[in-house]
Amino acid sequence: MTTSAIVPLNTVPGTVLTGVAEVTPSAPDPDMANNSATATLTVGGVAPAPVPTLTEWAMILLGALLAGGAVLQLERRRRAI
């Protein structure tokens, strides 16, 4: 026996879904306790997309370039006055 379920798109990762299936026999069954089954599923998440970043040295170089640009801009303003 195979069953399937459709999970809504807005289901949050980590949500626990539980399903119960019961069978009703057409003839008398001496053991009614084995006529049902329960299945539990935890919804998984999608891995986050990688975010591009700068290395430590690239950040140092960027900071130095920004500081140098600021010094040049301040020097130009001072000469214009």
Side-chain angles (χ1 to χ4, degrees), residues 1 3 19-23 35-39:
M1 180 168 118
T3 50
V20 177
E22 293 187 13
V23 177
N35 291 343
S36 67
T38 303

Side-chain angles (χ1 to χ4, degrees), residues 17-21 37-41:
L17 303 174
T18 304
V20 177
T38 303
T40 303
L41 169 74

Side-chain angles (χ1 to χ4, degrees), residues 3 11 14 17 19 22 24-25 28-29 32 43 49 52-53 55 58-61 64 70 73-75 81:
T3 50
T11 303
L17 303 174
E22 293 187 13
T24 304
D29 188 357
M32 294 296 286
V43 176
T53 60
T55 64
M59 288 291 286
I60 292 169
L61 180 61
Q73 184 65 26
L74 289 172
E75 189 64 31
I81 296 177

Side-chain angles (χ1 to χ4, degrees), residues 43-78:
V43 176
V46 177
V51 177
T53 60
L54 295 175
T55 64
E56 182 180 354
W57 283 106
M59 288 291 286
I60 292 169
L61 180 61
L62 179 61
L65 287 172
L66 288 173
V71 167
L72 288 174
Q73 184 65 26
L74 289 172
E75 189 64 31
R76 285 182 187 169
R77 282 188 184 177
R78 190 167 37 159

